[in-house]
Amino acid sequence: MGGNNRHRRFKNQRNHRPHSSRDHQLLLDDDAQSSSVQVAETVEVEEQEQEMTKPKIKLAMWDFGQCDIKRCTGRKLSRLGMLKELRISNGFGGIVLSPVGKQCVSREDSSLIKLKGLAVVDCSWARLDDVPFVRLRCTAPRLLPWLVAANPVNYGRPCQLSCVEALSAALIICGEDESAELLLDKFKWGHAFLSLNRELLKAYSKCQNTVDIIAVQNAWLSQESQIPRAPADTEVESEDKGSSDSEDGLPPLEKNMNHLNLVNSDEESE
C-alpha cells in the first residue's frame, strides 16, 4: 500500500503542475488584456483632448479682400489653422453661407455639414456686385436667419455678422455647439455674440427646416420690444478703437489670391 500511496502522490503532483501553469498563464493573459484596455482608453482620451483644439467640422472660406485684413475674423481663423481659405477655382461640396442663398440653414443641413463641411463667403454687403458669385462652385448655398452682430465693427447691428459669427451661428443651429464655442473663444468679444442671441439661437436650433426657421424669425421680429437698438456710428467707432484682437503669435498675413485675381481681371478687361 505504501508503494501505491507513493505512486498516487506522484500522480497527483504531476497532475497539479499543469493546472498551476494554466492558472498562471490565465493571470498573464488577464493582465495583458487589462493593460491593452488601459492603453486603448488612454489613447482615446488623448485623441479627444486633441480634437478639442480643432473644430469637429471642416470649415472653409472664400475671401475677397473687401474688409480690413487685420480685423478679418476669417483670416484670423485661417492663421490659427481652423479653416481653409479657398480660391475662386476651388469648389466646395458642403453648406456655404452666401448672400445668394435661397433658403436658411437649418437642422436638415446637419448631415451634409458633418460629411462635407461648412464654408462662408467673406464679402461686404455694400460691395456684393463686385463678388463673382457665379464663379463659386457650391451646391448648397444658405442664408442665415435674423441675428445681431457683436463684433466691434458692427456691434448691435442686425445681420451685419463677421465670418466667425456667421460660422458659429450656423454650427449652433445645426447642433454643433462645441465647435461654435471653440471658434468664438479665439476672440475676446466672441461670447458677447452668444449673449446677444442666446434665446434666438436656441429657438433656431430646435427648428427642423427652413420653413420653421422663418416662422421663428418672423415671430421674434413681430415682438418689437425684443429687437435691440442699433448703436450710432460714433458709438461703434469708440468701441472699435479699443476692441481689436491681438494678433501676437499668429503667422504673418499672406496675399489674398482671390483679391489679386479680381484686380488682375479688372485691369485686363479695361
Side-chain angles (χ1 to χ4, degrees), residues 45-245:
V45 170
E46 290 177 351
E47 289 178 349
Q48 290 176 350
E49 290 177 350
Q50 290 176 356
E51 288 176 359
M52 290 292 290
T53 63
K54 301 289 183 182
K56 295 179 180 179
I57 304 299
K58 182 177 80 171
L59 303 176
M61 172 185 71
W62 280 286
D63 176 23
F64 292 98
Q66 295 182 350
C67 60
D68 184 349
I69 58 176
K70 292 183 179 180
R71 297 184 183 277
C72 179
T73 60
R75 295 293 294 275
K76 180 173 180 177
L77 292 177
S78 174
R79 294 195 297 278
L80 289 170
M82 291 189 164
L83 63 72
K84 177 182 178 181
E85 290 195 53
L86 302 172
R87 294 194 178 191
I88 295 177
S89 58
N90 296 138
F92 192 80
I95 297 297
V96 177
L97 303 176
S98 168
V100 298
K102 301 298 183 183
Q103 63 187 71
C104 285
V105 64
S106 66
R107 282 275 182 172
E108 63 183 354
D109 296 318
S110 59
S111 59
L112 184 57
I113 285 179
K114 290 178 181 178
L115 183 64
K116 297 290 187 178
L118 175 69
V120 63
V121 178
D122 183 19
C123 58
S124 170
W125 288 97
R127 297 177 58 187
L128 292 182
D129 292 339
D130 297 334
V131 180
F133 289 107
V134 294
R135 295 172 59 188
L136 302 183
R137 292 185 290 115
C138 58
T139 57
R142 295 289 186 270
L143 296 168
L144 280 170
W146 194 92
L147 292 163
V148 178
N151 64 79
V153 177
N154 291 306
Y155 182 87
R157 288 200 167 95
C159 306
Q160 301 293 310
L161 307 187
S162 63
C163 282
V164 67
E165 290 171 315
L167 290 169
S168 298
L171 289 170
I172 292 172
I173 290 171
C174 293
E176 299 293 335
D177 297 57
E178 188 176 5
S179 292
E181 292 183 9
L182 185 62
L183 298 183
L184 292 170
D185 277 341
K186 302 306 177 184
F187 301 86
K188 60 186 179 183
W189 50 264
H191 285 273
F193 176 71
L194 296 181
S195 298
L196 285 176
N197 299 282
R198 191 176 307 279
E199 291 183 37
L200 200 45
L201 283 170
K202 184 177 180 180
Y204 288 150
S205 68
K206 294 179 180 179
C207 298
Q208 296 302 313
N209 52 54
T210 188
V211 174
D212 295 341
I213 291 277
I214 296 300
V216 169
Q217 170 189 271
N218 292 344
W220 181 273
L221 293 177
S222 67
Q223 304 175 36
E224 296 182 2
S225 60
Q226 297 191 32
I227 302 176
R229 179 186 64 86
D233 291 340
T234 54
E235 294 178 18
V236 174
E237 289 175 1
S238 63
E239 290 179 2
D240 188 31
K241 291 180 180 178
S243 301
S244 60
D245 286 275

